[in-house]
């Protein structure tokens, strides 16, 4: 089975009631950076996942703390007396993580890069990708800088934000390919 994108023009299906004991936490414990133009559908198992990381098409950013991103709808005015409709969604994910000295070059480079998309890895080791209708990564804007409490003895940390805009909700990366076990190996704290 492959990653399945949303089809915004499909017939409205049935709503599915939430089940008991759903493991759907809001905590984000890592980001998987996806290089511009990389075809995620080529990642079908642990071997192809490892090869994509080795080729620098995927980059693991772990040990950060974030929560599900805020989503702000941007609307298009309605015509002929109709209601406005959704144009796109602006997403914003604030995060923090420690290890400033070791990651200064990484974040300085990523702050200026404009060729990376993102997948969010949750506390349940599930992946949610910011992908377009053709399953291409949506390019994100990254910014992180050192910051901390204004008091001696406090820990310096990176404080940052990831932003992107999309017409669609994030794509759930199929559990048959992006298994929790596979992601856990890279993102477990």
């Amino acid at each position: 089975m492959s990653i399945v994108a949303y089809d915004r023009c499909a017939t409205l299906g049935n709503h599915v009631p939430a089940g008991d004991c759903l493991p759907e936490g809001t905590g984000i414990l890592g980001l998987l950076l996806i290089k511009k133009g990389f075809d995620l559908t080529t990642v079908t198992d642990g071997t192809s996942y490892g090869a994509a990381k080795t080729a620098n098409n995927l980059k693991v950013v772990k040990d950060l703390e974030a929560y599900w991103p805020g989503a702000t709808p941007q609307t298009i005015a309605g015509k002929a007396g109709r209601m406005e409709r959704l144009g796109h969604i602006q997403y914003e994910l604030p995060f923090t993580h420690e290890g400033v000295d070791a990651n200064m070059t990484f974040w300085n480079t990523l702050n200026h890069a404009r060729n990376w998309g993102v997948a969010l890895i949750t506390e349940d080791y599930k992946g949610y990708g910011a992908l377009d209708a053709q399953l291409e990564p949506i390019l994100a804007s990254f910014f992180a800088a050192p910051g901390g409490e204004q008091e001696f003895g406090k820990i310096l940390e990176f404080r940052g934000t990831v932003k992107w805009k999309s017409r669609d909700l994030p794509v759930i990366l199929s559990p048959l390919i992006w298994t929790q076990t596979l992601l856990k190996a890279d993102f477990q704290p």
Side-chain angles (χ1 to χ4, degrees):
M1 188 168 185
S2 61
I3 299 170
V4 179
Y6 297 110
D7 180 356
R8 71 180 78 88
C9 298
T11 302
L12 184 62
N14 295 325
H15 177 264
V16 178
D20 294 333
C21 299
L22 286 178
E24 296 178 338
T26 63
I28 307 293
L29 50 79
L31 305 174
L32 188 63
L33 304 183
I34 307 165
K35 193 168 191 175
K36 176 182 177 180
F38 179 65
D39 183 0
L40 277 178
T41 62
T42 63
V43 179
T44 57
D45 56 19
T47 302
S48 54
Y49 175 72
K53 291 188 305 181
T54 301
N56 288 320
N57 289 316
L58 298 175
K59 289 215 176 266
V60 172
V61 180
K62 64 179 274 182
D63 295 335
L64 58 81
E65 182 171 310
Y67 299 93
W68 197 257
T72 306
Q74 304 299 308
T75 58
I76 298 170
K79 302 289 185 201
R82 293 188 201 133
M83 284 295 297
E84 59 192 16
R85 66 181 192 273
L86 180 66
H88 68 272
I89 305 166
Q90 289 185 280
Y91 291 94
E92 184 170 348
L93 176 80
F95 67 87
T96 61
H97 80 83
E98 298 173 348
V100 170
D101 290 352
N103 291 294
M104 193 72 77
T105 300
F106 173 83
W107 283 111
N108 192 50
T109 304
L110 192 58
N111 283 348
H112 296 282
R114 296 293 174 250
N115 57 352
W116 291 96
V118 67
L120 313 176
I121 309 304
T122 68
E123 60 189 303
D124 308 315
Y125 304 106
K126 293 179 184 174
Y128 294 86
L131 307 175
D132 67 16
Q134 289 76 42
L135 300 176
E136 293 286 326
I138 294 169
L139 301 184
S141 173
F142 298 87
F143 177 75
E149 303 300 322
Q150 300 298 309
E151 183 179 338
F152 283 96
K154 298 293 182 178
I155 300 294
L156 184 63
E157 63 185 4
F158 273 105
R159 295 177 178 177
T161 306
V162 181
K163 296 180 183 181
W164 71 94
K165 65 181 182 177
S166 173
R167 293 186 66 196
D168 299 307
L169 300 173
V171 174
I172 300 169
L173 303 176
S174 173
L176 295 177
I177 295 172
W178 300 80
T179 64
Q180 291 175 324
T181 304
L182 181 71
L183 294 174
K184 190 174 186 177
D186 277 337
F187 291 98
Q188 189 171 33

